[in-house]
Amino acid sequence: MSLVENGVLAYRTASNDTFSISLDSFELSFEPVAEVEFPNIEQYTYYYKKVDSPDTIMCIRIAGNNLRSTLGSYSLFEKRLAAI
């Protein structure tokens, strides 16, 4: 499944389970926290926190044609976010 298909965002959890959320629900449920962009190597990473559960983070990473999204607790991404 591609990252976004028919208005639905596919993602994995830290335990590697696969789920999906509609883009409309995502926009209502998550807000941007941080972004890291390296256009010269075509790598972009975006972090969003869940509005009603700020310890829940969605990381969306785009590297060339490779798209990946992961949902996890803040502690999973803590080292990466601390450096931003």
Side-chain angles (χ1 to χ4, degrees):
M1 180 183 234
S2 64
L3 183 65
V4 177
E5 191 172 291
N6 297 323
V8 175
L9 172 69
Y11 65 92
R12 293 191 181 273
T13 62
S15 59
N16 217 23
D17 296 320
T18 303
F19 294 94
S20 61
I21 184 172
S22 74
L23 291 178
D24 291 337
S25 292
F26 178 80
E27 289 176 354
L28 292 171
S29 301
F30 289 86
E31 60 185 27
V33 175
E35 60 187 55
V36 179
E37 298 182 335
F38 298 106
N40 56 326
I41 60 171
E42 297 182 9
Q43 183 174 313
Y44 307 87
T45 306
Y46 304 95
Y47 297 92
Y48 300 84
K49 70 176 177 179
K50 193 162 188 198
V51 174
D52 63 354
S53 178
D55 187 52
T56 302
I57 302 290
M58 175 76 76
C59 173
I60 298 176
R61 180 177 220 156
I62 304 163
N65 291 328
N66 184 16
L67 307 172
R68 183 177 64 201
S69 57
T70 305
L71 181 73
S73 67
Y74 176 81
S75 61
L76 179 66
F77 303 106
E78 186 173 12
K79 288 181 183 177
R80 290 189 226 167
L81 288 168
I84 298 173

